[in-house]
């Protein structure tokens, strides 16, 4: 009798264990939320669009500098001619040359004020447009990689040259171990899009 009771007890225990295992297996597994990080600073620095823009802005700066240098030489030549005494002071030719020198000097002064502002504006507009593309590309890649959140993780360079308070206020991610770094993916996609645009323009 005791043996039958022991066997029956073992069977009941086995049934309970099997039911428990089947129930736990049927429960949905807990979803793992993935977080990504991207260094916008490195993307801005290393993507091909930046290299292309630097070449363009360097060429523009050289052109503007050459234009200013040309005017400076012309002004110097006119000034030397006026001081040489070759033209009678007060004569029509003297006044005409003096007027031309003043006009060129005014043009040079205007260029020296305008050119740096134009360069700064181009830089600002280009950076803003590239930043927009970085945000758009990051969103696309985040969806592809099933990321629920992407954080900006650019780290300050030491020693810090800019205002420390601003760096502390903007540097939010202290540690990102375990997060998926998609910086290289963003750069690769931006470069691919840039190449595609170039090919379409050539056609």
């Amino acid at each position: 009798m005791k043996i039958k009771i022991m066997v029956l007890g073992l069977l009941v225990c086995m049934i309970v264990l099997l039911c428990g295992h089947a129930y736990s297996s049927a429960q949905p597994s807990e979803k793992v939320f993935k977080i990504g990080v991207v260094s916008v600073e490195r993307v801005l620095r290393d993507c091909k669009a930046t290299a292309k823009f630097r070449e363009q802005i360097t060429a523009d700066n050289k052109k503007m500098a050459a234009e200013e240098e040309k005017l400076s030489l012309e002004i110097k030549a006119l000034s030397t001619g006026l001081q040489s005494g070759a033209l009678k002071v007060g004569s029509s030719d003297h006044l005409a040359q003096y007027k031309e020198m003043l006009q060129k000097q005014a043009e040079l002064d205007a260029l020296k004020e305008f050119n740096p502002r134009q360069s700064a504006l181009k830089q600002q507009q280009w950076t803003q447009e590239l930043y927009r593309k970085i945000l758009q590309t990051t969103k696309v890649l985040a969806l592809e990689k099933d990321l629920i959140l992407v954080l900006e993780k650019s780290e300050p360079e030491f020693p810090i040259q800019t205002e420390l308070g601003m760096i502390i206020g903007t540097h939010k991610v202290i540690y990102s171990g375990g997060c998926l770094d998609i910086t290289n993916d963003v750069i690769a996609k931006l470069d691919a899009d840039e190449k595609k645009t170039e090919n379409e323009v050539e056609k």
Side-chain angles (χ1 to χ4, degrees):
M1 185 69 179
K2 290 182 179 180
I3 295 176
K4 290 182 178 180
I5 293 173
M6 289 176 63
V7 171
L8 182 61
L10 288 172
L11 288 172
V12 171
C13 290
M14 289 178 64
I15 292 171
V16 171
L17 288 172
L18 288 172
C19 290
H21 176 71
Y23 176 79
S24 61
S25 299
Q27 297 303 307
S29 59
E30 185 177 347
K31 186 175 181 179
V32 178
F33 295 106
K34 295 190 294 182
I35 297 176
V37 290
V38 62
S39 173
V40 173
E41 181 180 330
R42 188 155 72 83
V43 175
L44 284 168
R45 184 190 67 209
D46 295 345
C47 70
K48 291 181 179 178
T50 298
K52 183 179 178 181
F53 177 75
R54 283 175 182 164
E55 290 178 1
Q56 178 186 335
I57 206 72
T58 298
D60 290 344
N61 287 340
K62 286 182 178 179
K63 183 178 179 181
M64 289 185 292
E67 188 177 4
E68 291 178 14
E69 179 65 18
K70 181 174 179 290
L71 276 173
S72 294
L73 293 174
E74 290 174 355
I75 292 167
K76 185 177 180 180
L78 289 169
S79 177
T80 300
L82 290 171
Q83 294 174 7
S84 67
L87 298 176
K88 183 179 179 181
V89 177
S91 66
S92 58
D93 289 340
H94 181 273
L95 292 174
Q97 189 163 320
Y98 182 63
K99 179 181 179 182
E100 184 181 1
M101 184 187 73
L102 293 179
Q103 289 175 334
K104 288 185 180 294
Q105 184 62 56
E107 184 180 356
L108 177 60
D109 292 341
L111 284 177
K112 285 184 175 180
E113 182 176 353
F114 173 76
N115 287 340
R117 292 189 181 185
Q118 179 178 246
S119 295
L121 181 59
K122 284 183 178 180
Q123 177 77 46
Q124 181 183 355
Q125 291 174 337
W126 176 84
T127 303
Q128 180 175 295
E129 176 61 19
L130 181 56
Y131 183 58
R132 184 190 66 78
K133 291 179 180 178
I134 291 173
L135 295 180
Q136 185 180 26
T137 301
T138 300
K139 290 177 183 178
V140 171
L141 291 171
L143 289 172
E144 290 178 358
K145 298 177 183 295
D146 199 25
L147 303 176
I148 64 163
L149 185 67
V150 178
L151 303 173
E152 208 290 319
K153 70 151 207 171
S154 296
E155 297 182 2
E157 294 183 1
F158 293 93
I160 296 175
Q161 303 294 332
T162 55
E163 186 179 346
L164 181 59
M166 184 178 69
I167 294 294
I168 294 173
T170 55
H171 185 215
K172 301 299 184 183
V173 179
I174 306 299
Y175 176 72
S176 59
C179 296
L180 180 63
D181 191 337
I182 62 171
T183 303
N184 290 335
D185 300 278
V186 173
I187 293 173
K189 182 164 176 52
L190 284 172
D191 289 349
D193 292 344
E194 179 74 15
K195 184 64 176 178
K196 182 179 178 181
T197 301
E198 290 177 355
N199 292 337
E200 290 176 351
V201 170
E202 289 176 358
K203 291 178 181 179

